[in-house]
Amino acid sequence: RLPGKCFVRTEKVHISESPVEGYVSCKGKVVNNEFLGATTKTRIEIGNGTVITAMSFDSKTIQKGSEVYATFSAEDVLILN
């Protein structure tokens, strides 16, 4: 168990269909997509009820309910007590 809460900037989180080797990959389901013009905000609920938000700059929208992986580099994690 970590000593605090973990945070990752939304633009550092990428969405993939399978785990990515060398990165932290959290499996979950898409619970919401929000189109914001040039970007799309996608919220992914992982197993313990935690929601991870990814901000993407492409026009691909992933269907609500889709199983995906929220993927990010361990170096991008900020731990706060």
Side-chain angles (χ1 to χ4, degrees), residues 7-42:
F7 297 90
V8 179
R9 294 185 57 90
T10 58
E11 67 272 13
K12 299 290 187 178
V13 179
H14 302 280
I15 300 170
S16 62
E17 294 178 359
S18 58
V20 178
E21 189 174 333
Y23 289 85
V24 177
S25 295
C26 302
K27 186 176 182 179
K29 285 189 178 182
V30 174
V31 293
N32 188 30
N33 282 306
E34 187 176 352
F35 180 68
L36 303 170
T39 61
T40 302
K41 186 188 295 186
T42 302

Side-chain angles (χ1 to χ4, degrees), residues 55-67:
M55 186 75 73
S56 62
F57 298 95
D58 61 27
S59 59
K60 181 180 175 186
T61 301
I62 301 168
Q63 291 290 330
K64 184 176 176 179
S66 297
E67 287 194 354

